[in-house]
Amino acid sequence: QVQLVESGGGLVQAGGSLRLSCAASGSIFSINGMGWHRQAPGKQRELVADITSSGSTNYADSVKGRFTISRDNAKNTVYLDMNSLKTEDTAVYYCNANIRSFGRFYTDYWGQGTQVTVSS
């Protein structure tokens, strides 16, 4: 069984910063890509950023220059550092990871989501 557990969400004023963390645990053989998505009320879930196992990153245009994704492979953890937050960044943030468990193929897993609210 594999679990992704997120932490670090909360309420912050516009212009502030937050750091999200997502730790994968369970029967893990290896982890391929990891990433963060978000879903605002009434909107579709969208990709925020992702990172490959070798560290290559990709960002949504709306967060480039403000957000930084990183990962600690030894800890099976992915981070999202969010700076210069805007009210439009308010959403539930979900982490995901492409994980191979022992004896299984790679499978996409999702965290439960963490709320980020940016006030004006």
Side-chain angles (χ1 to χ4, degrees):
Q1 196 79 354
V2 173
Q3 273 192 316
L4 298 182
V5 179
E6 299 134 337
S7 60
L11 174 65
V12 64
Q13 286 192 323
S17 300
L18 279 176
R19 186 181 222 207
L20 304 183
S21 300
C22 174
S25 63
S27 181
I28 297 171
F29 179 73
S30 65
I31 301 179
N32 201 355
M34 304 182 83
W36 291 94
H37 289 67
R38 67 185 180 187
Q39 188 167 19
K43 295 188 176 181
Q44 288 189 328
R45 189 174 296 190
E46 63 175 359
L47 174 69
V48 176
D50 56 25
I51 184 168
T52 67
S53 57
S54 60
S56 295
T57 58
N58 174 54
Y59 294 94
D61 287 343
S62 59
V63 306
K64 280 181 182 176
R66 299 188 298 121
F67 291 11
T68 302
I69 189 171
S70 60
R71 63 191 283 175
D72 184 333
N73 291 330
K75 295 182 178 180
N76 292 334
T77 299
V78 63
Y79 304 97
L80 186 67
D81 288 296
M82 305 184 293
N83 298 309
S84 302
L85 283 160
K86 304 176 181 180
T87 55
E88 51 263 44
D89 294 318
T90 295
V92 177
Y93 284 71
Y94 299 89
C95 74
N96 76 290
N98 189 238
I99 296 173
R100 183 180 173 190
S101 299
F102 291 96
R104 294 177 178 256
F105 295 110
Y106 278 101
T107 302
D108 285 332
Y109 292 89
W110 290 84
Q112 79 284 359
T114 185
Q115 177 70 47
V116 172
T117 302
V118 184
S119 63
S120 58

